[in-house]
């Protein structure tokens, strides 16, 4: 039997959804025009006033907003309510110097947690479940979002946060956790670790998992389901829009329902910016129509996907997106953390190296690995092993502090990294996802 958290909304007619989107978009455009000078100027430059936007069909007349705009307005110049009305910030993981900071009113948090609750209930969670939240807590939205959603469902919430695998396993076993929320690679790692301890799927209390924040394949889903003895659900989201719960999988598992009462989704041609019809692959663009503190109008996510309005057997009516099929920029997601090659380059240049490096990403035993090969410059070149080890250590520490995750560093001889005739091949991603 299919379960819903807010059935009237999740199964609303397409006319009803359109009505909500029309009304909320008109109000949101007025809200940003009145309260955010940057939006007002962008709209003026595009020759648009709020009166021109009468509903969803006029959305394409509005200009896009990008991550660059968000950085330019760091930290709070896009906030559309008085700061005293904001109760929380969250921030994106691992971006350069100026991170994106997203602000929330209490109502924004409430609505975000509702979205996460929808995902949990779709995965079968009830007030009788024990939900272990093993996403990171803190600035990352994974932990706080699913934590709040789990409270709304009335489940017993276990806020383990990420890491400390021994303790994770102890709590799963001792508290008889039934739902696990974490990145898919961590779920796979937990599964392997439990298997090594002799626990088979029949000895594990978990029945469902809600995994997202990074790309994962159907093969990985089957692996995790087998080792943990669960049904594994995908969840999608981004800090800029709230966090996890922008879209989630239902039991049919043929795409993720986008919460259309809060977000209007479009797919555009990333080169021309032209909206594409449903069924075509392009860049996902979102407009948040209920967020008050940090509203985004036509935000370019850089995620590539396809939208589908085919009827879903679960009864939900909200549009479905495929799993993200890639990105239009060079952002890597390693162990759930967003990593840009430019961050690595910044560290190397600061420590006296040149931009001759290669980033090798792989997935070993279902956990992402990050290796950085760095050429020594002729001035730095040495064959003294002690000195090389010290330099590698220094680089590893600097990279950890910049990226927030561990990177292994290998120093190589000058000119030993193959030069490309075209664009430098900086990233070799061997993960099969
Ligand atoms: O990753 C929010 C989140 C937390 C989603 C927990 C799901 C679960 P950011 O750190 O801002 O937010 O990263 C957002 O991660 O633009 C996608 O490229 C990627 N991403 C998120 N979910 C998925 C997914 C969180 N299910 C960026 N599959 C997004 C593939 C995903 N990629």
């Amino acid at each position: 039997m299919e379960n819903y958290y807010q059935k009237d909304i999740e199964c609303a007619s397409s006319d009803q959804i359109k009505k909500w989107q029309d009304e909320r978009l008109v109000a949101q455009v007025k809200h940003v025009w009145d309260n955010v000078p940057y939006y007002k100027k962008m709209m003026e430059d595009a020759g648009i006033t709020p009166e021109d936007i009468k509903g969803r069909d006029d959305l394409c007349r509005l200009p896009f907003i990008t991550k660059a705009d968000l950085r330019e307005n760091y930290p709070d110049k896009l906030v559309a309510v008085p700061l005293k009305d904001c109760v929380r910030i969250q921030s994106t993981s691992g971006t350069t110097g100026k991170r994106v900071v997203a602000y929330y009113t209490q109502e924004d948090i409430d609505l975000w947690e509702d979205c996460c609750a929808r995902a949990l209930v779709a995965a079968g969670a009830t007030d009788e479940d024990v939900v272990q939240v093993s996403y990171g807590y803190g600035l990352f939205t994974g932990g706080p979002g699913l934590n709040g959603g789990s409270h709304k469902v009335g489940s017993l919430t276990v806020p383990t946060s990420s890491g400390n695998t021994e303790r994770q396993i102890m709590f799963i076993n001792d508290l008889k956790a039934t739902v696990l929320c974490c990145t898919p690679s961590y779920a796979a790692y937990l599964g392997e670790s439990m298997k090594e301890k002799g626990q088979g799927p029949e000895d594990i209390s978990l029945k469902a998992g809600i995994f997202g924040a990074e790309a994962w394949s159907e093969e990985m889903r089957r692996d995790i389901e087998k080792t943990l003895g669960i049904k594994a659900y995908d969840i999608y989201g981004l800090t800029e829009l709230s966090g996890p719960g922008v879209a989630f999988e239902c039991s049919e598992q043929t795409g993720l329902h986008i919460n259309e009462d809060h977000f209007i989704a479009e797919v555009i041609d990333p080169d021309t910016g032209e909206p594409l019809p449903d069924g075509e692959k392009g860049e996902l663009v979102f407009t948040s129509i209920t967020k008050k503190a940090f509203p985004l109008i036509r935000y370019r996510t850089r995620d590539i996907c396809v939208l589908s309005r085919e009827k879903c057997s679960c009864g939900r009516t909200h549009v479905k997106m495929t799993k993200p099929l890639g990105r239009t920029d060079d952002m890597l997601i390693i162990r759930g953390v967003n990593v840009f090659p430019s961050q690595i380059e910044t560290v190397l240049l600061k420590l006296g190296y040149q931009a001759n490096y290669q980033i090798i990403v792989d997935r070993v035993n279902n956990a992402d690995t990050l290796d950085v090969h760095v050429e020594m410059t002729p001035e730095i070149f040495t064959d003294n092993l002690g000195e090389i080890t010290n330099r590698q250590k220094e680089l590893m520490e600097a990279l950890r502090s910049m990226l927030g995750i561990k990177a292994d560093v290998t120093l190589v001889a000058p000119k030993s990294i193959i030069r490309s005739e075209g664009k430098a091949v900086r990233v070799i991603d061997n993960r099969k996802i």
Side-chain angles (χ1 to χ4, degrees), residues 135 140-141 213-215 234-239 244 303 324 327 333 338:
Y135 284 112
F140 181 55
T141 52
E214 64 185 4
D234 202 347
I235 184 165
Y236 168 88
L238 49 160
T239 314
D303 289 319
R327 291 189 53 89
I333 302 183
N338 304 345

Side-chain angles (χ1 to χ4, degrees), residues 29 101 136 156 219 228 233 241 264 354 359:
V29 168
V101 182
L156 176 61
E219 292 72 44
L228 289 173
Y233 294 80
L241 290 175
I264 304 180
Q354 283 166 358
I359 301 166

Side-chain angles (χ1 to χ4, degrees), residues 281-294:
K281 188 161 111 178
E283 181 181 339
L284 194 51
V285 171
F286 280 113
T287 299
S288 52
I289 47 176
T290 48
K291 241 187 138 186
K292 288 288 181 310
F294 195 66

